[in-house]
Amino acid sequence: MPYPDKFYPVVHNVAWVTRLALLGAGTIQLRAKDLNESQALQIVTDALDAIKGTEAKLVVNDYWRAAIVAGAKHLHLGQEDLADADLSEIRKAGLTLGISTHDDEELAIALAAKPDYIALGPIFPTTLKSMRFAPQGIPKITEWKKRIGDIPLVAIGGIKFEQSAEIFAAGADSIAVVSDVTQHADPDARVRQWLGQSAEAA
């Protein structure tokens, strides 16, 4: 299986991780904010337990120490967290590493860390968190993909299923999805839509 999968949901608690894993999502990011070390270790351990027996791969956002201790295999870091992380420890633990980027400087920093994938965002305006960066737009995906070559490119930020074909056509290898699942009126049906699209695009 490619990593990350074409459909890459990002959720904030174990209940969502469980729900997505049972629906057949292949890559699921757990992005829980403002936890202390023991809380982070607990939620990562619980999420890893939740995906046992499924095809899902859990990506831990930011809490790299908890990811190592809990035995996770996949990690995603934002730029601030990347600056504070011990990359040699992360690599020694065998974790894959995805990194967020928003501009040329951040892309250079990310590439220096030899990541397993690069995330570019926000593609569209997003309501979920206040962004320091203006929407990137779809043409930026094509430009970024040319620059990073074989490294998988994940598009994130305000993307809905209806835009997915255009995003993939622009060069994205994967689409990270937040509100289009978690705030959808029928999340399960929406996930099945995304998974069906991903199968067609594979």
Side-chain angles (χ1 to χ4, degrees):
M1 288 295 289
Y3 174 77
D5 289 73
K6 286 184 168 293
F7 169 58
Y8 184 0
V10 178
V11 294
H12 60 281
N13 62 33
V14 175
W16 272 110
V17 170
T18 307
R19 185 172 180 175
L20 287 160
L22 292 174
L23 284 165
T27 305
I28 305 166
Q29 185 181 130
L30 175 65
R31 184 169 73 187
K33 292 295 179 186
D34 304 319
L35 305 181
N36 63 33
E37 289 278 327
S38 65
Q39 290 169 326
L41 181 57
Q42 188 65 58
I43 196 171
V44 171
T45 302
D46 291 347
L48 286 169
D49 284 344
I51 64 167
K52 276 184 182 152
T54 73
E55 296 290 307
K57 299 177 283 290
L58 181 78
V59 185
V60 177
N61 182 293
D62 293 349
Y63 300 111
W64 61 271
R65 290 185 184 88
I68 291 171
V69 174
K73 294 184 168 58
H74 308 284
L75 181 69
H76 181 94
L77 295 176
Q79 292 278 325
E80 296 85 1
D81 300 284
L82 177 62
D84 297 333
D86 186 331
L87 289 180
S88 64
E89 283 292 312
I90 289 164
R91 291 303 188 191
K92 200 163 74 180
L95 285 158
T96 68
L97 178 62
I99 300 175
S100 298
T101 65
H102 305 87
D103 60 21
D104 290 337
E105 185 185 352
E106 291 191 350
L107 180 59
I109 291 167
L111 289 173
K114 298 191 167 37
D116 295 278
Y117 69 82
I118 295 270
L120 170 67
I123 303 304
F124 300 120
T126 172
T127 54
L128 287 179
K129 55 180 184 174
S130 60
M131 297 300 291
R132 293 184 294 131
F133 299 92
Q136 307 279 3
I138 291 175
K140 191 78 170 273
I141 296 169
T142 308
E143 180 198 328
W144 237 234
K145 185 59 189 169
K146 278 184 189 145
R147 291 169 66 177
I148 68 175
D150 293 336
I151 302 171
L153 179 63
V154 177
I156 185 168
I159 301 170
K160 296 196 167 8
F161 174 76
E162 289 75 17
Q163 297 148 331
S164 59
E166 190 180 2
I167 303 268
F168 284 128
D173 299 289
S174 170
I175 298 176
V177 181
V178 190
S179 59
D180 196 46
V181 168
T182 59
Q183 296 179 7
H184 197 271
D186 187 346
D188 291 12
R190 195 58 153 180
V191 169
R192 290 190 189 98
Q193 241 183 332
W194 275 104
L195 290 171
Q197 204 282 353
S198 298
E200 285 166 33

